[in-house]
Amino acid sequence: MYTKGDEQLWTGRIDDTEKKEHFRNFQVTDVVNLKGIDDNRENEQIKEHTAQYDVGILGYAVDRGVYLNQGRVGAQQGPDAIREKFGNMALMNDITIGDFGNISTDETYVENVQTEYAHMIKKSHSLAKFHLLLGGGHDISYAHYKGLRQIYPHQSIGVINIDAHFDLRDAKHATSGTGFKQIIDEDPEAGYLVLGIQQAGNTQHLFNIANDRGVEYVLAEHIDQDSTNERIASFIDKYDVIMLTLCLDVIDSAYAPGVSAPCSFGLSPKQVLRLILEVLKYDKTQHISIAEMNPKYDIDGRTAKMVGHIMFRMLHRNSNIE
Ligand SMILES: N=CN[C@@H](CCC(=O)O)C(=O)O
Ligand SMILES: [Mn+2]
Ligand SMILES: [Mn+2]
C-alpha cells in the first residue's frame, strides 16, 4: 500500500529561512503525493503541477522478505530512519528533493508489494533526475529491476550489487535472499556483478550457482585491487542501463550495526563510496537502491547517518543532476 511521505521527518536545525547557503536538505524537500498523479497523464500533470526534482526518494518499507529469509526483522523502519538523518545534512549545490513516499504491505508474501513498488518506480521516474530507492529488505532488488524493465522495455540491463551476499537463493516465494536469482532466471540478457562478497557469508552451493550462471564477483578482500575498476568498466560496457543496488551488510558491522545480517570483516564506508562513485561515473544509472537498513539494531543512529552521508556524497558528485 502507498503512503505519502511524513512531513515531520523533514525537520531539523534551521540556521536561516531565506539564504540557501545556510540550508540543510530538509529545507528544500517537498513531500509529493504520488496518488495525486494520474498514471496515464503523468507527464502532462508533472509539467502543470510539479517541477522536476533533482533527486527523488521512494521508500520500500518492507521487512517481510527478510522474515521469509529467516532474518531478523526491523528494516520496515529503514527508509524513514534514513530520511531523518539525510534531511539534517547540509545542502550543497542548489539541488531540489522530492519525497515520493513509501510502499508497505500487510501481506504474508512480498510478490504483490514488489509489483506495486515497481509501478511506483515507473510512475515517479519522470519526476526526478536521480532516484534513491530506500529499503527495506533486499527484496527491493527484484522490485527495482521490474521498475527499470518498465522504464526501459527494450534496453539491456546490467545489475551491480554491492553486497556481502549473492542473494541467489531458490525459494517457492520471493524473499530478501532470492532477488538476483529471480532477475537472471527471468532475463537471460541481464548480467550480474557482485562487489564485496564474503566467503564466510555464502555457502559453497551459492558459489556454485554463481559460477554456473556466469555471475561475476569480487571478494571483499580483493576490492582494493586495481582489477576491480577494470571489472566494473568491462561489465558496464556490455549493457545499456546499469541497475545499482547497495546491501548495507557489505559494510563492516563496526560502521553498520543497524542491518538485518551484520558482517565482520566487511568493507569500510570509504570503500563502498568509492565503488558507488566509480559506477555512477559511467552515466548509465539513474536509480540506486539501498537495502537492509534496520534501525532496530542501530547504535546511536550511526548506520542511518552513514547512509545519509553516502547519499550526500553521491548527490553532490552526480553528473545526472549537475
Ligand atoms: N538479503 C540477505 N541475504 C542473505 C542473508 C544472510 C544471513 O541472514 O546471514 C542471504 O540470503 O544469504
Ligand atoms: Mn547482504
Ligand atoms: Mn543482499
Side-chain angles (χ1 to χ4, degrees), residues 2 4-5 30-34 37 50 53 98-101 127:
Y2 175 74
K4 179 169 115 24
D30 286 344
V31 169
V32 179
N33 189 348
L34 292 188
I37 296 170
T50 333
Y53 293 94
D99 179 0
F100 303 144
L127 285 168

Side-chain angles (χ1 to χ4, degrees), residues 91-136:
L91 173 72
M92 302 291 288
N93 309 354
D94 200 3
I95 61 168
T96 56
I97 302 166
D99 179 0
F100 303 144
N102 282 341
I103 299 292
S104 60
T105 185
D106 295 331
E107 294 182 12
T108 303
Y109 298 111
V110 296
E111 282 83 350
N112 288 337
V113 74
Q114 287 176 315
T115 301
E116 189 182 2
Y117 194 69
H119 177 70
M120 287 303 184
I121 292 173
K122 166 78 167 67
K123 186 166 176 166
S124 56
H125 176 60
S126 54
L127 285 168
K129 297 176 192 165
F130 190 77
H131 296 260
L132 298 161
L133 309 174
L134 306 181

Side-chain angles (χ1 to χ4, degrees), residues 69-71 138 163 165 167 169 176-177 201-202 206 247 249 261 292:
N69 193 33
Q70 303 179 43
H138 214 178
D163 200 335
H165 306 103
D167 293 352
R169 294 179 189 281
S176 64
N202 298 273
L206 291 166
C247 186
D249 63 29
E292 303 290 358

Side-chain angles (χ1 to χ4, degrees), residues 72-260:
R72 55 184 197 176
V73 294
Q76 190 180 356
Q77 308 303 326
D80 285 355
I82 296 169
R83 280 180 175 98
E84 264 190 303
K85 297 296 184 195
F86 173 68
N88 246 318
M89 285 174 186
L91 173 72
M92 302 291 288
N93 309 354
D94 200 3
I95 61 168
T96 56
I97 302 166
D99 179 0
F100 303 144
N102 282 341
I103 299 292
S104 60
T105 185
D106 295 331
E107 294 182 12
T108 303
Y109 298 111
V110 296
E111 282 83 350
N112 288 337
V113 74
Q114 287 176 315
T115 301
E116 189 182 2
Y117 194 69
H119 177 70
M120 287 303 184
I121 292 173
K122 166 78 167 67
K123 186 166 176 166
S124 56
H125 176 60
S126 54
L127 285 168
K129 297 176 192 165
F130 190 77
H131 296 260
L132 298 161
L133 309 174
L134 306 181
H138 214 178
D139 30 309
I140 195 177
S141 58
Y142 183 67
H144 182 170
Y145 167 79
K146 292 292 272 183
L148 294 188
R149 220 347 115 229
Q150 289 176 37
I151 295 166
Y152 310 107
H154 307 298
Q155 281 99 324
S156 59
I157 298 179
V159 178
I160 299 182
N161 178 21
I162 305 173
D163 200 335
H165 306 103
F166 285 115
D167 293 352
L168 283 169
R169 294 179 189 281
D170 261 319
K172 194 160 171 245
H173 284 282
T175 76
S176 64
T178 63
F180 303 94
K181 183 70 168 33
Q182 291 172 265
I183 296 170
I184 61 173
D185 281 351
E186 187 172 310
D187 182 354
E189 304 298 311
Y192 182 31
L193 168 65
V194 200
L195 303 171
I197 283 288
Q198 289 285 342
Q199 286 187 289
N202 298 273
T203 58
Q204 186 58 49
H205 173 70
L206 291 166
F207 276 95
N208 293 345
I209 295 176
N211 292 329
D212 290 350
R213 299 299 299 268
V215 170
E216 300 181 43
Y217 59 88
V218 179
L219 296 174
E221 60 258 45
H222 296 157
I223 214 76
D224 286 334
Q225 294 180 356
D226 291 343
S227 55
T228 300
N229 279 4
E230 290 155 26
R231 301 280 298 276
I232 291 171
S234 62
F235 181 84
I236 291 178
D237 191 49
K238 292 186 276 189
Y239 302 96
D240 300 323
V241 173
I242 295 296
M243 166 178 153
L244 177 60
T245 183
L246 166 64
C247 186
L248 292 168
D249 63 29
V250 76
I251 299 172
D252 193 279
S253 57
Y255 302 102
V259 297
S260 310

Side-chain angles (χ1 to χ4, degrees), residues 39 42 51 82-83 88 100 107 132 174 239 263 269 273 275 278 288 320:
D39 284 2
E42 53 191 86
I82 296 169
R83 280 180 175 98
N88 246 318
F100 303 144
E107 294 182 12
L132 298 161
Y239 302 96
C263 171
L273 183 64
L275 295 171
E278 186 62 28
I288 175 169
N320 283 301

